[in-house]
C-alpha cells in the first residue's frame, strides 16, 4: 500500500503556466465528445501558479491559482482558484511523459461576462461575477524535463442555476506551456526524473 505524501515532502513540486484560449460556442459535453468547437471572436490569456499538496500512487492533488485577461467580445479580468486532480502514469511515459487533469473551483470576473447567457432568454440578466470553474487538461513533456505543453478546456458556469440562478456558461479551448520546479528551489531538478531513467 503506497502512502500519501504530505505537503512539504522532498519531491513536492510547484509550477507556473501560461496559456491562451478562444471561446467555443458549443456545450462542454459536445466539445469533449465530438473533439471539435465552433469558435467566436473572444479570447483569453492566463498565467497560473500551482503546487502539489499530496500524492497517492499516480494521482497528484494540487491547488492552482489563475489570473485571466479577456479580449474581443468581452473585456474584463478573471481570478480563479481550483483544486486539481492530475493522473501522472501512462504506459508510454518512457517516450512521452503524459498527464491528464480535472479541476474544480471558483471563478470571479471583474464584471459580468458578455458571452455567458442563461438558458432562458427571458431572464433579466445573463450571468454573474462569481461562478463555478472547471478545467479539463491533457499535458505532455519529454521524460525528465521541466518544461511541458498542454491543451485545456476552461469552463465557467452556474451549475444549472446553483450560482445566482445562472443556467448558462462559457467554454474556452486553449493551449499553453508549463514550467515545473522543485518546492525546495533546486534549479533544474525534476523530481520525476527517477520515474523515467534515460
Amino acid at each position: 500500500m503506497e502512502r500519501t505524501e504530505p505537503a512539504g515532502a522532498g519531491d513536492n513540486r510547484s509550477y507556473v503556466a501560461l496559456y491562451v484560449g478562444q471561446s467555443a460556442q458549443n456545450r462542454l459535453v459536445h466539445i469533449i465528445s465530438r473533439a471539435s468547437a465552433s469558435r467566436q471572436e473572444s479570447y483569453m490569456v492566463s498565467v497560473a501558479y500551482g503546487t502539489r499538496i499530496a500524492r497517492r500512487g499516480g494521482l497528484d492533488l494540487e491547488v492552482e491559482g489563475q489570473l485571466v485577461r479577456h479580449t474581443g467580445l468581452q473585456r474584463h479580468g478573471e481570478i480563479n482558484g481550483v483544486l486539481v486532480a492530475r493522473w501522472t502514469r501512462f504506459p508510454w511515459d518512457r517516450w512521452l511523459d503524459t498527464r491528464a487533469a480535472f479541476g474544480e473551483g471558483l471563478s470571479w470576473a471583474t464584471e459580468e461576462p458578455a458571452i455567458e447567457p442563461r438558458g432562458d432568454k427571458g431572464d433579466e440578466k445573463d450571468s454573474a461575477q462569481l461562478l463555478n470553474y472547471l478545467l479539463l487538461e491533457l499535458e505532455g513533456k519529454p521524460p525528465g524535463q521541466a518544461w511541458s505543453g498542454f491543451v485545456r478546456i476552461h469552463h465557467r458556469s452556474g451549475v444549472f442555476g446553483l450560482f445566482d440562478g445562472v443556467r448558462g456558461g462559457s467554454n474556452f479551448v486553449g493551449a499553453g506551456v508549463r514550467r515545473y520546479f522543485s518546492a525546495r528551489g533546486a534549479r533544474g531538478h525534476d523530481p520525476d526524473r527517477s520515474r523515467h531513467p534515460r
Side-chain angles (χ1 to χ4, degrees):
M1 179 73 73
E2 294 181 303
R3 65 183 180 87
T4 300
E5 296 182 9
D11 74 337
N12 201 31
R13 296 189 314 172
S14 299
Y15 60 80
V16 291
L18 172 69
Y19 66 97
V20 296
Q22 184 174 4
S23 175
Q25 295 176 291
N26 312 68
R27 296 179 61 188
L28 178 61
V29 64
H30 293 156
I31 295 174
I32 297 170
S33 62
R34 300 172 185 174
S36 64
S38 176
R39 308 298 180 91
Q40 56 183 335
E41 299 301 311
S42 186
Y43 307 92
M44 57 162 282
V45 58
S46 174
V47 291
Y49 172 83
T51 190
R52 179 194 299 156
I53 56 175
R55 163 176 280 182
R56 186 171 185 84
L59 183 66
D60 286 355
L61 189 63
E62 306 166 352
V63 289
E64 180 179 298
Q66 307 167 5
L67 295 176
V68 183
R69 181 63 184 173
H70 289 271
T71 60
L73 295 178
Q74 55 185 13
R75 296 176 179 272
H76 65 272
E78 184 182 315
I79 301 173
N80 303 323
V82 57
L83 182 65
V84 181
R86 189 179 307 276
W87 183 253
T88 65
R89 293 183 180 174
F90 289 88
W92 53 84
D93 278 346
R94 63 185 299 177
W95 300 286
L96 178 65
D97 190 353
T98 306
R99 293 112 190 270
F102 170 83
E104 176 69 33
L106 294 173
S107 175
W108 184 82
T110 56
E111 61 185 58
E112 287 187 10
I115 61 170
E116 289 179 345
R118 293 188 178 191
D120 183 353
K121 293 183 179 180
D123 289 335
E124 293 182 358
K125 64 177 183 177
D126 293 327
S127 189
Q129 289 179 274
L130 180 65
L131 289 182
N132 183 71
Y133 175 76
L134 182 149
L135 71 81
L136 295 169
E137 182 185 290
L138 185 62
E139 176 187 16
K141 71 184 186 73
Q145 300 302 309
W147 286 94
S148 71
F150 61 90
V151 292
R152 173 181 287 193
I153 299 175
H154 177 103
H155 174 80
R156 267 176 51 98
S157 78
V159 193
F160 306 105
L162 181 62
F163 286 75
D164 201 23
V166 176
R167 298 185 181 278
S170 62
N171 295 298
F172 284 78
V173 179
V177 293
R178 175 178 283 118
R179 174 62 162 88
Y180 287 99
F181 56 91
S182 168
R184 291 184 174 181
R187 298 184 62 183
H189 173 65
D190 183 351
D192 278 351
R193 190 180 298 273
S194 61
R195 283 206 298 131
H196 310 287
R198 296 190 177 191

